[in-house]
C-alpha cells in the first residue's frame, strides 16, 4: 500500500472513528456469520456452530484491539482517554486544581513576561525585508572616543556617511538616520482630529534611500527617493501608520496634506505600513524627514558640511555573498583613508591623533539600534535567572501537592495494577495530568505576562510613559511558553508519578488509604526534601532582593557633592530661536535675571552640559609641570558654566573663588578644577595661579582661580573623573544650547512659573527637560530601581510559595500523626509541648534549606557583584536579614497546623482512622 493511502486511512481512523469502528464491527460480524454458516453446513447445531466459530476466531474483542493497534494511532486514543480522565479528576478536586494552576501561572507568567521583553529588545528583528543582510556600521550603543579627543566612530558625520556610501564595495547601499531634536508640529484645521499648533512628535532625519535599503514600501503614497534628499529639494515627509490613525483618523486623503515642523511647511507624501516603527527599538518614530532638510528642522545649525559633527547612525545592506568580516575590514580601511585624505581640510589635524588605531564596528543590524538594549540586557538576563528560580519553587510546590494527592490515590493505583495495568501506562497517565495542569497554568500565565509586560514597559519608559516596544505574543513567545509549560509539567510530575506507582499490592489493597499513606516515606520523604529545596532557592532570591534593594538605597543616599533636592533644571536652545553673535552673548544674563526675579528663587546659573543631562565634553590640555604618563591621560572632562555656578548647585569651593559676572568675554580667561584634577595635575602643589592650556587650534590658556569639591554630576557609580570648568562666555564657539540651574526651596512648585517666564522672554525659545534634579537622578538609576522592585516581588512570591509548601507538608504530617499526638496528650503532654513539637519540625526543615542555600546564595551573589554598590556580594547584614525573614516565614507557616494540632481531643484521636 502506498504511503499516501496509509496516511489517508490513518487520518480517517482518527477523525471518523465512529464510522471506522462501525465498519470494523460489521466486517467481523460478516466473517463470524460466514464461519457459523460453514459449521452448520458441516452438521453442527446453531449453538455448537457459534461456539466453534468464536473459538476459531480467538475472541472478537482481541481481534478488534489488534486491528486498532495496526492503525498506528493507539497512542492518540490513549492520550485522549488520559486527557478525559485528567479533566474529570480535576473537576472533582477544584481546590487542588485552582491552587496548582495559580502557582504555575505565577511562575510561568513571570518567565514569559521577562522573555517577552528580552525578545522585543534583544532578539526580535526589524519588520523589514531580509533583516539578516543588514549591518550596523559603527556601534551606536558603545561609548564614543571623546575621552581621547578623537573623532567618534560610533556615530558618523554627514560627509563621512557620503564617503562610506559612495566608496564602499561591500554594500548594495548604506542608509543614515539622525535625531531631529524637539519637533513642534502644526496641522491645518481641515485635517481630521487636528488640534493646531503646539503638538510635538517623534521625528527622524533619514537619507533618501532609507526605505529602499530597509525594503519598506508605503501603504499610501510613496517613500523617499534620492531626488527628495538633494539640497534644495521639496520639503516632504513620510508619516507612520499609527500617527496617521491618531492624528488624521485614517483619512484616505492624507497624502498631499501640508503640516509645519518647527515652523516650516512640509508635504506628506506617504504612510508606512502598520507595525513599522523605524530603526530605533524602543522609540517609535512618527515622522520621517529627508536629511537635506536638517537646517530647516534645526534652525540656526547646519550639520551637513561639518566633518567634526558626528550625529548619524549608519546601516548597510550586504551584497550577496559578502560576509560580515570582509565588510568590517573594508569599512575600517576606507574610514582610515578618508580621515587621512581629509586631514587639514574638512578635518582638523588635532582631531587625528592616530587614525590607524581608530576602528569602526560593523555588527549585525537586523534587530535595529537601541540604547535600551545596552541598558537593559544585563538586568533582563539577571531577572530571567530570578524568575526561573521562582518557577522552580512553584514546581516544587505543585510536586508536593501531587505527592500528597498520589498518596491518597494509592489504593486506586493498586487496584489498576492488580487488574493488569502496566506501570509505564500509569506513569504516562499521571504525567498527562501534570502536563495538563502546567498547560493550564501556562495559558493563564500568558495573560498575566501581557499585563505584567505593560507594567514593565512603564518602568522602562520612566515617568509614567511606555517604551515603544511591541509585546504582543508572537511565535517565539508562544513556543517559549509552550516549551516551559511542558518542561515544567514533566519536571514536577515525574517524581510523584514514579513514587505513586511504587506500591506493594497486597498491603495496599488490605489497608485504608490513610494507613498506606502513613507508612510511606522515612524521616526525609520526598515532600520534605522538596520543601528544603524551596527554602534553599528562596534564600537565594531573598538575599538577591536584599542586595539590590540596599544597592538602590545606597545610590539614593549617595553624597553627590552638590544639592540634590533644591535644584530645578531646564534646557534652552537660543540658537534655534535665532540668537547669534552679540545677541547670544547677552541672552544668558537676560534669562538669569528674569528667572532670578521669580518668588522663591535663591540663585540662577547655567552650564553647557548640565548635571545628569546625559551629555559630556572632553579635551586635551597641557599644564605647568604636568607630564602625561600614558596616552589619554592628558584628556580631561570639562564643562562651560555661568557665574555663581558652584554656589547655585550647592558645591563647595575648597580653595580660591567661584566664577563671577566679571569673568566675561573680554576678561582674563579663568578656570576652576575639581579635587581629582588638582591631585592629578599638581600632585600636592598649590594649583591656584597655575595655568592650563586647552589645545586648539587655537590654544587657549586659562588661569586656575579655584578648586571645587568633587561633584558627581554624570554618574553615581564610578569614581569622580578629573574635571575643569571655564566660563561659557569666554569660549569662542558658543552657538550652543545650554542648561539653566535654579536653586529654590521647592523645585516642583516652580516648574510652572519658570516655563511662563521663559515663554514671556521669548515665545519661540525651545525648552526641554524642565525637571527637578532629584527626578533626573532617579531616572539615572532607573535600572537599579527596576531590578530592586522586581527582585523584591519575585522574592516575595518565592517566599509565599515556599510557605504554602511548608504548610502543606506540616499539615499532611500532622494528619498522619493524629494517633501519636492523641496518645501524647492522653499521657499528659501539654499543648505548648505539642505546639513546639510541630514548630520544631517546621524550623528544622527551614534550617536545612537555609544551610544548603547559603553557599549557593553567596556564589550566585558574586555573579551579580558588578551591579552592586556600596556593599559586597557576601554582605553579612543582608545574609542575616534574609535568614531571619525565612525563619519568620517558616514560623508562621507552622503556627496554623501547630495550633490545630493542640486542639486535637485525645479520645477522638485514639478512635481516628
Amino acid at each position: 500500500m502506498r504511503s499516501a493511502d496509509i496516511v489517508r486511512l490513518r487520518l480517517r481512523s482518527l477523525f471518523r472513528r465512529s464510522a471506522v469502528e462501525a465498519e470494523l464491527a460489521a466486517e467481523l460480524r460478516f466473517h463470524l456469520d460466514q464461519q457459523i454458516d460453514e459449521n452448520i453446513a458441516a452438521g453442527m447445531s446453531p449453538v455448537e456452530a457459534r461456539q466453534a466459530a468464536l473459538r476459531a476466531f480467538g475472541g472478537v474483542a482481541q481481534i478488534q484491539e489488534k486491528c486498532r493497534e495496526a492503525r498506528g494511532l493507539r497512542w492518540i486514543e490513549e492520550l485522549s482517554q488520559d486527557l478525559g480522565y485528567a479533566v474529570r479528576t480535576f473537576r472533582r478536586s477544584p481546590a487542588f486544581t485552582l491552587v496548582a494552576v495559580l502557582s504555575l501561572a505565577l511562575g510561568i507568567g513571570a518567565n514569559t513576561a521577562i522573555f517577552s521583553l528580552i525578545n522585543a529588545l534583544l532578539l526580535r528583528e526589524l519588520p523589514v525585508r531580509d533583516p539578516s543582510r543588514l549591518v550596523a556600521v559603527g556601534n551606536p550603543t558603545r561609548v564614543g572616543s571623546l575621552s581621547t579627543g578623537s573623532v567618534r566612530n560610533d556615530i558618523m558625520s554627514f560627509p563621512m556617511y557620503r564617503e562610506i556610501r559612495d566608496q564602499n564595495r561591500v554594500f548594495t547601499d548604506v542608509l543614515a538616520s539622525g535625531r531631529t531634536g524637539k519637533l513642534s508640529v502644526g496641522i491645518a484645521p481641515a485635517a481630521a482630529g487636528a488640534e493646531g499648533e503646539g503638538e510635538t512628535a517623534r521625528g527622524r532625519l533619514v537619507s533618501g534611500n532609507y526605505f529602499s535599503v530597509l525594503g519598506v514600501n508605503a501603504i499610501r503614497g510613496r517613500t523617499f527617493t534620492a531626488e527628495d534628499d538633494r539640497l534644495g529639494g521639496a520639503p516632504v515627509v513620510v508619516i507612520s501608520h499609527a500617527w496617521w490613525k491618531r492624528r488624521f483618523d485614517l483619512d484616505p486623503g492624507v497624502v498631499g496634506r501640508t503640516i509645519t515642523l518647527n515652523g516650516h511647511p512640509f508635504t506628506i507624501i506617504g504612510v508606512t505600513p502598520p507595525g513599522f516603527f523605524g530603526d530605533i527599538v524602543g522609540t517609535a518614530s512618527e515622522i520621517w524627514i529627508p536629511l537635506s532638510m536638517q537646517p530647516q528642522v534645526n534652525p540656526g545649525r547646519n550639520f551637513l558640511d561639518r566633518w567634526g559633527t558626528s550625529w548619524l547612525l549608519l546601516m548597510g545592506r550586504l551584497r550577496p555573498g559578502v560576509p560580515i568580516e570582509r565588510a568590517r575590514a573594508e569599512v575600517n580601511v576606507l574610514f582610515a583613508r578618508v580621515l587621512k585624505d581629509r586631514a587639514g581640510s574638512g578635518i582638523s589635524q588635532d582631531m587625528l591623533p592616530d587614525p590607524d588605531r581608530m576602528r569602526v564596528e560593523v555588527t549585525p543590524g537586523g534587530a535595529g539600534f537601541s540604547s535600551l538594549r545596552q541598558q537593559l540586557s544585563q538586568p533582563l538576563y539577571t531577572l530571567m535567572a530570578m524568575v526561573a528560580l521562582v518557577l522552580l519553587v512553584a514546581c516544587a510546590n505543585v510536586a508536593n501537592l501531587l505527592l500528597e494527592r498520589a498518596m491518597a490515590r494509592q489504593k486506586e493505583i493498586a487496584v489498576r495494577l492488580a487488574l493488569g495495568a502496566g506501570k509505564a501506562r500509569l506513569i504516562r497517565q499521571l504525567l498527562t495530568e501534570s502536563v495538563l495542569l502546567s498547560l493550564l497554568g501556562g495559558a493563564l500565565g500568558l495573560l498575566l505576562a501581557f499585563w505584567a509586560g505593560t507594567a514593565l514597559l512603564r518602568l522602562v519608559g520612566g515617568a509614567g510613559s511606555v517604551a515603544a516596544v511591541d509585546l504582543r505574543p508572537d511565535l517565539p513567545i508562544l513556543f517559549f511558553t509552550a516549551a516551559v509549560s511542558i518542561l515544567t509539567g514533566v519536571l514536577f510530575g515525574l517524581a510523584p508519578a514514579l513514587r505513586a506507582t511504587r506500591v506493594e499490592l497486597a498491603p495496599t489493597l488490605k489497608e485504608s488509604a490513610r494507613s498506606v499513606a502513613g507508612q510511606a516515606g522515612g524521616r526525609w520523604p520526598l515532600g520534605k526534601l522538596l520543601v528544603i529545596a524551596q527554602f534553599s532557592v528562596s534564600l537565594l532570591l531573598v538575599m538577591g532582593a536584599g542586595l539590590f534593594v540596599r544597592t538602590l538605597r545606597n545610590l539614593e543616599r549617595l553624597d553627590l557633592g552638590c544639592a540634590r533636592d533644591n535644584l530645578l533644571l531646564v534646557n534652552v536652545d537660543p540658537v534655534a530661536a535665532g540668537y547669534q553673535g552679540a545677541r547670544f552673548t547677552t541672552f544668558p544674563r537676560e534669562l538669569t535675571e528674569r528667572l532670578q526675579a521669580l518668588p522663591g528663587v535663591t540663585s540662577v546659573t547655567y552650564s553647557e552640559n548640565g548635571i545628569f543631562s546625559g551629555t559630556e565634553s572632553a579635551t586635551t590640555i597641557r599644564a605647568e609641570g604636568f607630564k602625561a604618563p600614558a596616552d589619554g591621560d592628558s584628556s580631561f572632562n570639562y564643562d562651560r558654566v555661568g557665574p555663581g555656578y558652584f554656589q547655585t548647585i550647592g558645591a563647595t569651593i575648597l580653595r580660591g573663588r567661584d566664577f563671577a559676572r566679571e569673568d566675561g568675554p573680554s576678561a582674563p580667561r579663568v578656570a576652576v578644577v575639581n579635587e581629582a584634577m588638582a591631585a592629578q595635575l599638581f600632585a600636592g602643589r598649590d594649583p591656584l595661579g597655575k595655568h592650563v592650556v586647552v589645545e586648539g587650534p587655537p590654544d587657549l590658556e586659562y588661569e586656575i582661580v579655584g578648586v571645587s569639591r568633587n561633584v558627581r554630576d554624570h554618574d553615581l557609580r564610578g569614581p569622580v573623573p578629573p574635571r575643569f570648568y571655564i566660563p561659557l562666555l569666554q569660549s569662542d564657539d558658543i552657538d550652543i544650547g545650554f542648561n539653566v540651574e535654579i536653586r529654590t526651596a521647592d523645585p516642583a512648585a516652580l516648574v510652572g512659573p519658570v516655563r511662563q517666564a521663559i515663554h514671556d522672554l521669548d515665545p519661540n525659545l525651545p525648552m526641554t527637560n524642565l525637571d527637578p534634579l532629584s527626578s533626573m537622578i532617579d531616572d539615572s538609576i532607573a535600572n537599579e530601581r527596576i531590578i530592586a522592585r522586581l527582585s523584591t516581588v519575585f522574592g516575595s512570591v518565592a517566599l509565599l510559595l515556599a510557605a504554602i509548601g511548608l504548610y502543606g507538608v506540616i499539615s499532611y504530617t500532622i494528619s498522619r500523626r493524629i494517633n501519636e499526638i492523641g496518645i501524647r496528650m492522653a499521657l499528659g503532654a501539654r499543648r505548648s509541648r505539642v505546639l513546639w513539637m510541630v514548630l520544631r519540625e517546621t524550623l528544622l526543615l527551614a534550617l536545612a534549606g537555609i544551610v544548603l542555600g547559603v553557599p549557593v546564595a553567596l556564589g550566585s551573589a558574586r555573579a551579580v557583584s558588578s551591579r552592586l554598590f556600596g556593599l559586597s556580594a557576601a554582605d553579612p547584614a543582608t545574609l542575616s536579614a534574609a535568614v531571619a525573614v525565612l525563619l519568620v516565614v517558616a514560623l508562621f507557616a507552622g503556627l496554623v497546623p501547630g495550633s490545630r494540632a493542640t486542639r486535637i481531643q485525645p479520645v477522638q484521636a485514639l478512635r481516628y482512622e
Side-chain angles (χ1 to χ4, degrees):
M1 183 179 292
R2 293 181 305 172
S3 299
D5 293 332
I6 294 174
V7 171
R8 180 177 56 81
L9 291 174
R10 288 184 175 179
L11 289 175
R12 184 170 179 270
S13 300
L14 179 63
F15 295 107
R16 299 188 60 187
R17 184 179 176 185
S18 299
V20 171
E21 287 292 323
E23 291 173 3
L24 175 61
E27 185 174 357
L28 288 176
R29 280 197 304 272
F30 170 77
H31 289 292
L32 184 61
D33 291 342
Q34 287 284 98
Q35 186 64 48
I36 292 173
D37 291 341
E38 290 178 6
N39 291 343
I40 292 175
M44 296 183 186
S45 67
V47 176
E48 292 174 338
R50 182 174 182 80
Q51 291 174 348
L54 289 174
R55 285 196 300 271
F57 263 72
V60 175
Q62 288 84 347
I63 293 175
Q64 288 176 323
E65 286 298 315
K66 288 180 180 179
C67 291
R68 294 184 187 116
E69 290 176 1
R71 297 173 194 158
L73 300 174
R74 181 63 179 269
W75 65 274
I76 296 180
E77 297 173 3
E78 292 179 349
L79 177 61
S80 176
Q81 294 170 2
D82 291 344
L83 287 173
Y85 184 79
V87 170
R88 292 192 297 273
T89 301
F90 294 155
R91 289 172 61 184
R92 288 197 299 268
S93 307
F96 161 81
T97 305
L98 181 62
V99 171
V101 169
L102 287 178
S103 297
L104 292 170
L106 286 174
I108 297 174
N111 277 269
T112 302
I114 300 299
F115 178 77
S116 298
L117 273 178
I118 291 176
N119 180 57
L121 291 173
L122 309 181
L123 304 178
R124 184 181 291 162
E125 294 184 319
L126 296 174
V128 299
R129 172 175 54 85
D130 195 10
S132 63
R133 302 299 297 169
L134 294 175
V135 293
V137 182
N139 184 353
T141 62
R142 183 175 55 80
V143 175
S145 50
L146 285 174
S147 60
T148 63
S150 63
V151 175
R152 292 183 63 179
N153 56 10
D154 55 339
I155 52 179
M156 302 290 184
S157 66
F158 182 73
M160 179 61 78
Y161 156 65
R162 288 189 303 183
E163 296 287 346
I164 292 177
R165 180 195 64 191
D166 298 339
Q167 296 188 36
N168 85 87
R169 295 172 299 176
V170 291
F171 303 122
T172 57
D173 211 344
V174 181
L175 65 83
S177 68
R179 293 184 298 176
T180 62
K182 183 180 179 181
L183 203 60
S184 298
V185 183
I187 302 176
E195 296 176 1
E197 299 286 344
E199 180 185 354
T200 60
R202 293 185 295 273
R204 196 82 182 150
L205 287 159
V206 299
S207 55
N209 61 357
Y210 178 84
F211 293 101
S212 62
V213 172
L214 293 177
V216 174
N217 298 316
I219 59 169
R220 282 199 172 268
R222 64 176 179 86
T223 57
F224 297 140
T225 64
E227 184 66 18
D228 296 317
D229 197 25
R230 66 177 178 82
L231 294 177
V236 295
V237 296
V238 173
I239 63 174
S240 71
H241 182 276
W243 202 65
W244 177 40
K245 180 179 181 179
R246 180 170 64 87
R247 297 304 295 123
F248 294 93
D249 196 25
L250 300 180
D251 179 6
V254 69
V255 175
R257 295 263 191 191
T258 298
I259 61 175
T260 61
L261 303 178
N262 292 347
H264 292 270
F266 286 81
T267 302
I268 298 173
I269 62 170
V271 180
T272 62
F276 178 74
F277 53 82
D279 55 330
I280 308 296
V281 177
T283 303
S285 298
E286 297 170 319
I287 302 175
W288 290 270
I289 311 161
L291 279 176
S292 60
M293 295 292 118
Q294 182 271 320
Q296 285 72 37
V297 174
N298 305 126
R301 296 180 176 87
N302 187 340
F303 300 148
L304 300 181
D305 57 355
R306 294 187 184 180
W307 282 90
T309 302
S310 295
W311 60 291
L312 294 176
L313 303 178
L314 272 58
M315 184 178 291
R317 183 172 288 276
L318 292 171
R319 291 182 183 274
V322 175
I324 193 171
E325 293 79 12
R326 177 184 162 192
R328 183 180 299 116
E330 179 162 328
V331 166
N332 276 281
V333 170
L334 174 59
F335 183 77
R337 186 176 73 241
V338 171
L339 289 181
K340 289 179 180 179
D341 292 345
R342 295 290 178 175
S345 55
I347 303 176
S348 59
Q349 190 63 41
D350 68 297
M351 298 171 64
L352 297 169
D354 188 357
D356 293 329
R357 282 195 302 113
M358 288 193 277
R359 290 291 178 267
V360 177
E361 292 292 334
V362 177
T363 55
F369 302 120
S370 176
S371 59
L372 290 176
R373 188 175 298 142
Q374 180 194 27
Q375 297 169 13
L376 297 177
S377 58
Q378 186 177 356
L380 284 176
Y381 284 127
T382 300
L383 292 173
M384 193 71 200
M386 297 188 76
V387 294
L389 294 176
V390 172
L391 182 56
L392 281 178
V393 175
C395 287
N397 226 22
V398 178
N400 255 333
L401 290 173
L402 289 175
L403 276 173
E404 183 176 342
R405 191 162 173 268
M407 294 300 101
R409 295 174 61 185
Q410 280 205 334
K411 195 157 190 175
E412 170 203 336
I413 292 171
V415 170
R416 295 175 70 179
L417 286 170
L419 293 175
K423 284 190 176 183
R425 180 72 179 83
L426 287 176
I427 289 173
R428 190 170 66 188
Q429 149 86 75
L430 296 173
L431 280 179
T432 301
E433 294 181 13
S434 63
V435 170
L436 180 59
L437 269 181
S438 186
L439 289 173
L440 291 173
L444 180 58
L446 194 61
L447 297 177
L448 293 177
F450 182 75
W451 171 83
T454 303
L456 284 174
L457 285 182
R458 292 190 181 278
L459 287 176
V460 170
S465 64
V466 179
V469 176
D470 185 6
L471 291 184
R472 288 176 298 181
D474 57 5
L475 283 179
I477 293 175
L478 294 177
F479 282 141
F480 173 84
T481 306
V484 168
S485 299
I486 294 172
L487 182 62
T488 297
V490 175
L491 180 65
F492 71 72
L494 187 58
L498 292 173
R499 179 67 188 85
T501 54
R502 287 203 308 267
V503 296
E504 297 183 16
L505 295 184
T508 304
L509 293 173
K510 289 178 182 177
E511 300 291 341
S512 68
R514 184 174 300 277
S515 298
V516 173
Q519 298 166 6
R523 179 162 178 76
W524 297 104
L526 182 57
K528 291 184 178 180
L529 294 177
L530 287 172
V531 168
I532 291 173
Q534 282 182 303
F535 270 79
S536 297
V537 175
S538 297
L539 176 66
L540 192 157
L541 289 170
V542 172
M543 183 176 176
L547 290 173
F548 291 135
V549 168
R550 291 195 62 196
T551 290
L552 178 62
R553 293 292 175 264
N554 289 341
L555 290 171
E556 289 176 337
R557 298 169 183 171
L558 182 65
D559 182 11
L560 302 180
C562 65
R564 179 194 293 259
D565 299 321
N566 303 107
L567 280 178
L568 180 66
L569 284 81
V570 59
N571 180 273
V572 295
D573 190 355
V575 177
Y579 290 80
Q580 294 180 343
R583 192 178 178 210
F584 181 96
T585 304
T586 60
F587 171 76
R589 177 172 293 185
E590 296 174 10
L591 177 62
T592 54
E593 288 177 351
R594 180 69 64 99
L595 296 176
Q596 185 76 59
L598 293 175
V601 173
T602 305
S603 60
V604 182
T605 189
Y606 47 86
S607 62
E608 176 185 4
N609 293 319
I611 304 177
F612 288 92
S613 63
T615 60
E616 182 67 290
S617 301
T619 189
T620 303
I621 70 165
R622 302 191 305 270
E624 302 172 32
F626 172 70
K627 183 178 180 181
D631 290 343
D633 289 342
S634 60
S635 180
F636 292 87
N637 296 336
Y638 74 95
D639 201 356
R640 299 187 284 185
V641 302
Y645 176 76
F646 297 97
Q647 174 193 351
T648 301
I649 70 171
T652 304
I653 294 290
L654 302 176
R655 300 202 59 197
R657 67 175 178 86
D658 198 344
F659 296 120
R661 288 186 179 274
E662 291 72 26
D663 297 318
S666 58
R669 298 182 186 275
V670 293
V672 173
V673 298
N674 69 355
E675 295 174 88
M677 186 167 178
Q680 183 168 339
L681 287 184
F682 303 105
R685 294 177 292 138
D686 186 2
L688 295 184
K690 299 292 191 301
H691 291 79
V692 295
V693 177
V694 177
E695 296 184 353
D699 290 351
L700 300 177
E701 183 174 342
Y702 293 83
E703 178 185 351
I704 297 175
V705 297
V707 178
S708 75
R709 186 183 176 195
N710 286 336
V711 176
R712 294 183 178 274
D713 49 9
H714 282 74
D715 180 27
L716 294 180
R717 284 183 171 270
V720 178
R723 185 186 304 278
F724 68 97
Y725 306 83
I726 57 177
L728 186 145
L729 296 180
Q730 287 189 347
S731 303
D732 292 336
D733 54 334
I734 54 175
D735 57 337
I736 58 172
F738 55 83
N739 296 276
V740 182
E741 289 86 10
I742 306 167
R743 176 180 272 273
T744 176
D746 189 356
L750 203 64
V751 170
V754 166
R755 180 179 285 110
Q756 186 61 47
I758 295 175
H759 183 270
D760 292 343
L761 177 64
D762 188 341
N764 298 317
L765 184 65
M767 58 176 145
T768 56
N769 302 328
L770 181 53
D771 295 298
L773 175 60
S774 56
S775 298
M776 300 176 73
I777 295 173
D778 287 344
D779 290 343
S780 73
I781 55 175
N783 288 350
E784 285 79 4
R785 183 170 292 104
I786 292 171
I787 293 179
R789 288 177 177 175
L790 293 182
S791 62
T792 301
V793 170
F794 298 147
S796 301
V797 170
L799 268 180
L800 176 62
L801 293 173
I804 292 172
L806 182 59
Y807 167 81
V809 166
I810 297 301
S811 296
Y812 178 62
T813 302
I814 290 175
S815 69
R816 287 167 43 196
R817 300 175 63 184
I818 286 180
N819 296 66
E820 173 196 340
I821 293 172
I823 293 172
R824 287 176 179 270
M825 298 186 72
L827 294 176
R830 294 191 301 273
R831 294 183 184 275
S832 59
R833 186 169 181 81
V834 172
L835 178 61
W836 170 242
M837 179 186 71
V838 176
L839 292 180
R840 182 178 59 192
E841 183 171 1
T842 303
L843 294 174
L844 182 62
L845 291 175
L847 282 171
I850 290 170
V851 170
L852 291 176
V854 165
V856 178
L858 293 177
S860 300
R862 282 202 249 351
V864 296
S865 58
S866 62
R867 301 211 62 82
L868 305 180
F869 180 80
L871 71 166
S872 67
D875 182 62
T878 305
L879 179 59
S880 301
V883 170
V885 168
L886 260 69
L887 290 176
V888 170
V889 168
L891 190 64
F892 277 99
L895 273 176
V896 175
S899 300
R900 193 163 58 242
T902 62
R903 294 195 295 271
I904 293 176
Q905 298 298 322
V907 175
Q908 295 178 356
L910 293 174
R911 295 176 181 170
Y912 191 62
E913 177 52 44

